Every structure is written in structure tokens, then in C-alpha cells.
Amino acid sequence: MFKNERDASAAGQETETVIAPSVRVEGDFVSEGNVRIEGMVTGSISTERDLIVGENSKIKADVQARNATLAGELHGNLRVFDRLELASTARVFGDIQAKVLSVAPGAIMRGQLVIGID
């Protein structure tokens, strides 16, 4: 019925941290796994894996991730080491650094943009 962490890793499933819509986090948030944010975060966010930011999320933080998909609002700098996808509802107010960037029509970006980082 319940799987332990070793069983999940063996099956290729990654641990995911979820910040639900009703949750507000303040401070430095660091993760080695995938992170999904649907609520509010203030401070800094760093993950060695993938970050997904939901459409109704509000983030006031500097963010660092391997890959990121952003559909909500971010006030802060964003550094993505591989692929960054901005959905049509994304609003980024800060500098962006990414190796690859995909922007849907309607996304808003205000800040400096550096593409092709190592």
C-alpha cells in the first residue's frame, strides 16, 4: 500500500515538494528534488531538479533551478541551467538567465535576459 523511498527511486519516480495554493513560505527554500509551487513564496528558491510554478502563484524571491516552467508571477531574478518555459500567463519582473528559453505569446518579462549560459 505504501512505498518506501527506495521503491520510488527504483521505479524512476522523483520526489516532489508541493507548496499548495493555501500555503505561504517565507525564507530560503532549498531542495534536491522537483518542486511545484501553487502558493506564495518570499525569500529564495533553489532546486537541483525541476521547478513548476502554477498560474496563481506569487513569488518574491531569487530562483535557481535545473529546468523551470513558469505560469505565475515572479518578482526576482531567475537562473535556469537548462530549459526555461514561460507560459502565456507568466509574469517575470527581474533578470533571467537560461540556457534555453521558450516563451508563449502573452507572457510578460521585464528585466535583462541572458540566453545560452553554461
Side-chain angles (χ1 to χ4, degrees), residues 2 10 14 20 52 61 65 92 94 104 109 115:
F2 294 102
E14 294 294 329
I52 298 173
V92 180
M109 296 182 300
I115 302 300

Side-chain angles (χ1 to χ4, degrees), residues 8-9 15 19 25-27 34 40-41 48 53 61 63 66-67 71-72 79-80 83 85 87 97 101 103-104 106 111:
S9 298
T15 302
I19 298 174
V25 175
E26 293 185 18
N34 297 327
M40 298 178 68
V41 177
E48 294 180 16
V53 177
V63 177
R66 173 66 45 208
N67 296 293
R79 183 175 173 99
V80 178
R83 183 174 180 83
E85 295 182 28
Q97 293 180 317
L101 175 64
V103 181

Side-chain angles (χ1 to χ4, degrees), residues 5-86:
E5 190 173 317
R6 188 172 18 166
D7 291 340
S9 298
Q13 297 174 347
E14 294 294 329
T15 302
E16 185 172 87
T17 299
V18 177
I19 298 174
S22 62
V23 175
R24 178 179 297 203
V25 175
E26 293 185 18
D28 298 331
F29 185 85
V30 179
S31 175
E32 292 180 4
N34 297 327
V35 176
R36 175 180 294 273
I37 299 174
E38 299 292 340
M40 298 178 68
V41 177
T42 302
S44 68
I45 302 166
S46 178
T47 179
E48 294 180 16
R49 304 291 299 195
D50 297 347
L51 173 68
I52 298 173
V53 177
E55 187 174 332
N56 296 315
S57 299
K58 294 195 184 319
I59 298 173
K60 292 180 181 176
D62 288 333
V63 177
Q64 183 171 297
R66 173 66 45 208
N67 296 293
T69 301
L70 182 71
E73 185 171 319
L74 170 67
H75 292 265
N77 298 323
L78 180 58
R79 183 175 173 99
V80 178
F81 294 98
D82 286 332
R83 183 174 180 83
L84 170 61
E85 295 182 28
L86 298 180

